[in-house]
């Protein structure tokens, strides 16, 4: 017999290794020797009150063995001689599209402009230390996409888009910790993701798929509104009649190419703002009602904030407890910041994007002459502004949080995790009113919601501009482009996802459509 039950465990009780057995025995009113095992299904922390509670959902096995294997299986088969499906981009959407193609008996041929994870590290070092951006290999482009060097956050609200559990189980199959199957807000960590991504690559190659790194697509050969071939940067052409376009939200050259070829695109609302960085101890003290070091049983605290300001949302995005701010530019002459965390989330700093919703239909009237590309051009202008304000390197413009709100230049800045360094700049006057004024009001409101958040000990760093794509690529109910037969826009770059898991689910769906 198996019983699913909910258990509440205090912080003191959590120290006991056998506490779940004790609690389950009491809850079910049975002796402990009748319980053959307990499987944790879900774990979360309730820290809303000073008495912190761990909430567990567990399966209690009564006189029955706990199964040792997952109910999920992945039926990969030899596809070396099967019909091909071309996949452009090897981020989460492209990876999961390739894996699903193999399960369905089709051969994935992946074209990735960037390098593999090992070689990619050298280019990340060059950004941080030499301030040089390789436009094909950086924090956004390369094996695993932007997800490889991110926090690896797997939380998603896109529960209706596919089987979330299947996505998680496949990550575990490829080497991720099975803790992601349990945590309410699971993450893998930037130090663990590269190995998982490498294992996915090895699976694809083992079963007959192809992956071509440092292979940038520069054109599509289209006849009678049907895709015929792909042209590569080296001048070669590849015949292709089923193409999954999974290039991510930063592959601007693809948007320009499609626009030039008069292939339908649509402008899409998005968000932009800054990164806010606090000492992790400050966030811990607020969230856990503690002073000094948090309990070793508690993870680095996170937060989620939202406020309506002048009919636009101001909210936290991609919050990274115990993490780092990283340079996410994809070209020289721009500064873009993002966040990531290692698996233990044990860095001294907490950072989060704090961004403002931008309504593409109402807010960008000065950019209307760019048509569907108006949001992209707006992004680029702010990234160039940040580059100039930072000192024309990857040094980022920054300001103390309180100085930003009060409209004062910061004579000094707080310590930071951002390796290229910070330059004091008047972001309060540099950011457009659309963003800056709403951020200033938003930060005040956040300080009222989280007492201690609004402090001179925090920095804001600009700009957080790549939250999502400002463009979507339309597709029909068969997930095919509305105009071009055989082209399947996919993932974040198509405007159909907002993170690792939702992109992975969309990759699977597009593979199923392309293989049908």
């Amino acid at each position: 017999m198996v019983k699913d039950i909910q258990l509440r465990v205090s912080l003191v009780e959590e120290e006991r290794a056998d506490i779940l057995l004790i609690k389950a025995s009491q809850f079910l009113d049975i002796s402990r020797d009748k319980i053959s095992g307990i499987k944790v299904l879900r774990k979360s922390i309730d820290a809303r009150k000073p008495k912190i509670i761990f909430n567990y959902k567990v399966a209690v096995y009564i006189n029955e063995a706990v199964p040792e294997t997952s109910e999920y299986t992945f039926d990969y088969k030899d596809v070396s001689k099967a019909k091909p499906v071309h996949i452009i981009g090897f981020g989460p959407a492209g990876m999961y599209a390739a894996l699903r193609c193999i399960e369905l008996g089709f051969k994935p041929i992946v074209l990735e402009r960037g390098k593999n994870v090992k070689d990619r590290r050298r280019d990340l070092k060059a950004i941080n230390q030499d301030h040089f951006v390789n436009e094909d290999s950086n924090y956004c482009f390369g094996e695993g996409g932007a997800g490889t060097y991110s926090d690896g956050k797997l939380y998603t609200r896109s529960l209706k888009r596919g089987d979330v559990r299947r996505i998680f189980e496949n990550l575990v199959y490829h080497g991720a910790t099975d803790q992601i199957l349990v945590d309410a807000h699971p993450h893998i960590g930037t130090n663990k993701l590269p190995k998982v991504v490498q294992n996915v690559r090895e699976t694809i190659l083992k079963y007959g798929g192809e992956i071509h790194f440092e292979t940038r697509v520069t054109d599509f050969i289209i006849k009678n509104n049907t895709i015929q071939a792909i042209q590569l940067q080296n001048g070669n052409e590849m015949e292709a009649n089923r193409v999954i376009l999974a290039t991510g939200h930063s592959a601007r050259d693809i948007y320009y190419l499609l626009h030039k070829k008069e292939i339908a695109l649509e402008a899409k609302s998005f968000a932009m703002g800054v990164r806010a960085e606090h000492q992790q101890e400050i966030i811990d003290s607020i969230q856990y009602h503690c002073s000094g070091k948090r309990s070793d049983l508690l993870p680095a605290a996170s937060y989620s904030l939202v406020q309506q300001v002048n009919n636009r949302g101001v909210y936290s995005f991609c919050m990274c407890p115990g993490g780092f701010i990283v340079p996410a530019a994809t070209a020289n002459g721009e500064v873009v910041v993002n966040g990531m965390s290692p698996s233990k989330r044990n860095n001294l700093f907490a950072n989060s994007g704090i961004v403002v919703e931008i309504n593409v239909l109402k807010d960008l009237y000065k950019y209307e002459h760019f048509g569907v590309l108006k949001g992209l051009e707006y992004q680029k202008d702010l990234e160039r502004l940040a580059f100039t304000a930072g000192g024309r390197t990857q040094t980022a413009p920054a300001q103390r949080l309180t100085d930003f709100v009060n409209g004062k230049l910061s004579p000094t800045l707080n310590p930071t995790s951002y390796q290229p360094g910070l330059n004091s700049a008047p972001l309060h006057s540099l950011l457009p009113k659309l963003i800056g004024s709403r951020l200033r009001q938003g930060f005040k409101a956040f300080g009222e919601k989280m007492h201690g958040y609004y402090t001179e000990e925090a920095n804001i760093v600009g700009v957080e501009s790549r939250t999502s794509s400002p463009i979507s690529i339309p597709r029909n109910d068969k997930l095919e482009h509305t105009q071009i037969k055989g082209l399947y826009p996919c993932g974040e770059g198509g405007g159909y996802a907002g993170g690792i898991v939702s992109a992975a689910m969309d990759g699977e769906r597009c593979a199923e459509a392309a293989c049908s």
Side-chain angles (χ1 to χ4, degrees):
M1 181 188 303
V2 182
K3 292 273 191 179
D4 287 0
I5 61 174
Q6 305 277 350
L7 299 175
R8 289 169 58 82
V9 177
S10 71
L11 184 57
V12 173
E13 292 172 329
E14 179 73 6
E15 295 179 0
R16 295 194 55 169
D18 60 350
I19 190 61
L20 294 181
L21 176 62
I22 295 170
K23 291 271 187 178
S25 171
Q26 293 171 348
F27 184 93
L28 297 170
D29 195 24
I30 60 175
S31 63
R32 296 182 203 175
D33 58 9
K34 289 186 177 181
I35 298 177
S36 49
I38 296 176
K39 183 177 181 180
V40 177
L41 304 177
R42 183 67 62 188
K43 179 182 179 182
S44 63
I45 298 173
D46 185 349
R48 291 172 294 178
K49 296 180 180 179
K51 185 179 180 181
I52 294 171
I53 297 294
F54 293 83
N55 290 314
Y56 284 91
K57 181 181 180 182
V58 300
V60 183
Y61 290 78
I62 303 168
N63 296 323
E64 183 176 329
V66 179
E68 295 182 2
T69 58
S70 169
E71 62 188 59
Y72 283 80
T73 58
F74 301 97
D75 184 21
Y76 299 127
K77 57 200 73 173
D78 183 4
V79 295
S80 56
K81 298 180 180 179
K83 291 181 179 179
V85 173
H86 290 76
I87 300 167
I88 305 175
F90 199 49
M95 288 192 302
Y96 271 81
L99 291 171
R100 189 68 181 130
C101 282
I102 293 172
E103 287 188 284
L104 296 170
F106 285 74
K107 178 178 181 176
I109 299 177
V110 180
L111 309 174
E112 167 56 51
R113 68 190 292 170
K115 301 177 183 178
N116 65 48
V117 286
K118 182 179 179 181
D119 294 339
R120 192 177 170 189
R121 288 193 184 98
R122 299 188 188 97
D123 297 313
L124 303 186
K125 182 179 179 182
I127 299 173
N128 283 301
Q129 296 187 3
D130 304 326
H131 300 249
F132 174 78
V133 180
N134 181 327
E135 297 188 3
D136 287 318
S137 179
N138 44 63
Y139 277 96
C140 291
F141 300 147
E143 185 174 20
T148 301
Y149 295 100
S150 72
D151 191 51
K153 284 181 286 294
L154 304 177
Y155 179 71
T156 181
R157 294 186 177 91
S158 303
L159 303 180
K160 296 181 181 180
R161 297 187 184 184
D163 188 343
V164 174
R165 177 76 180 203
R166 174 183 159 84
I167 301 300
F168 286 10
E169 291 276 3
N170 210 339
L171 286 168
V172 173
Y173 178 89
H174 285 99
T177 171
D178 59 7
Q179 190 65 31
I180 67 174
L181 305 175
V182 172
D183 290 342
H185 290 269
H187 78 112
I188 298 175
T190 190
N191 55 320
K192 300 289 182 68
L193 272 164
K195 180 60 177 175
V196 175
V197 167
Q198 181 179 321
N199 290 341
V200 171
R201 179 220 308 166
E202 291 172 356
T203 293
I204 293 167
L205 297 177
K206 175 182 177 181
Y207 289 97
E210 295 180 15
I211 302 173
H212 302 270
F213 292 112
E214 299 184 69
T215 304
R216 190 200 285 198
V217 172
T218 56
D219 202 0
F220 301 108
I221 310 304
I222 297 168
K223 293 182 181 179
N224 299 321
N225 287 335
T226 301
I227 196 153
Q228 303 286 319
I230 297 167
Q231 185 168 356
L232 307 179
Q233 191 174 31
N234 62 11
N236 292 340
E237 284 187 11
M238 300 180 75
E239 287 189 17
N241 56 20
R242 307 177 196 202
V243 177
I244 296 174
L245 189 62
T247 48
H249 61 45
S250 289
R252 290 168 170 168
D253 56 319
I254 293 294
Y255 298 134
Y256 285 122
L257 171 63
L258 296 178
H259 188 60
K260 181 180 179 180
K261 297 178 79 70
E262 298 184 346
I263 295 172
L265 300 172
E266 295 174 354
K268 171 179 154 295
S269 294
F270 57 107
M272 291 180 67
V274 296
R275 278 262 146 191
E277 184 172 58
H278 294 73
Q279 293 280 341
Q280 181 62 50
E281 194 170 286
I282 293 174
I283 304 302
D284 289 342
S285 67
I286 298 169
Q287 300 294 70
Y288 292 142
H289 320 283
C290 63
S291 58
K293 189 176 182 295
R294 68 179 184 273
S295 166
D296 290 337
L297 296 174
L298 295 171
S302 62
Y303 61 82
S304 178
L305 294 165
V306 62
Q307 181 72 25
Q308 285 292 312
V309 179
N310 298 332
N311 299 313
R312 295 290 180 273
V314 179
Y315 58 92
S316 57
F317 171 84
C318 185
M319 198 274 147
C320 298
F324 307 84
I325 299 178
V326 297
T330 52
N332 291 291
E334 64 189 28
V335 165
V336 180
V337 292
N338 197 358
M340 70 179 191
S341 297
S343 57
K344 293 183 179 180
R345 290 181 164 171
N346 55 356
N347 190 41
L348 295 176
F349 298 93
N351 72 79
S352 178
I354 304 295
V355 296
V356 177
E357 173 192 4
I358 296 172
N359 186 316
V360 75
L361 298 177
K362 299 179 179 179
D363 295 335
L364 302 181
Y365 58 92
K366 291 183 179 179
Y367 288 76
E368 288 296 336
H369 59 287
F370 290 111
V372 295
L373 302 178
K374 56 188 173 183
L376 191 155
E377 296 298 334
Y378 185 76
Q379 274 185 337
K380 287 173 64 175
D381 277 356
L382 263 66
E383 292 166 4
R384 294 188 193 109
L385 180 149
F387 178 75
T388 301
R392 306 188 70 80
T393 66
Q394 284 302 301
T395 301
Q399 203 168 2
R400 288 180 185 252
L401 174 55
T402 49
D403 288 340
F404 172 73
V405 172
N406 293 323
K408 295 166 50 182
L409 182 67
S410 299
T412 61
L413 295 169
N414 296 299
T416 183
S417 64
Y418 184 71
Q419 286 189 34
L422 303 179
N423 183 51
S424 180
L427 288 171
H428 62 275
S429 61
L430 293 174
L431 289 174
K433 186 177 180 181
L434 165 67
I435 295 174
S437 65
R438 287 184 170 92
L439 284 177
R440 292 163 78 177
Q441 294 181 60
F443 279 125
K444 286 182 179 178
F446 295 161
E448 294 174 1
K449 294 179 179 183
M450 285 180 61
H451 297 294
Y453 180 89
Y454 177 66
T455 172
E456 65 176 8
E457 296 181 55
N459 290 330
I460 63 161
V461 183
V463 289
E464 171 81 42
S465 53
R466 307 286 179 93
T467 59
S468 65
S469 171
I471 293 171
S472 65
I473 307 174
R475 64 190 189 189
N476 59 28
D477 57 3
K478 295 181 180 179
L479 308 188
E480 205 168 28
H481 190 276
T482 54
Q483 180 184 346
I484 306 301
K485 187 174 176 60
L487 181 64
Y488 298 84
C490 181
E492 290 203 33
Y496 299 102
I500 291 173
V501 174
S502 58
M505 288 192 291
D506 201 56
E508 288 202 333
R509 292 177 65 214
C510 286
E512 290 163 3
C515 295
S516 62

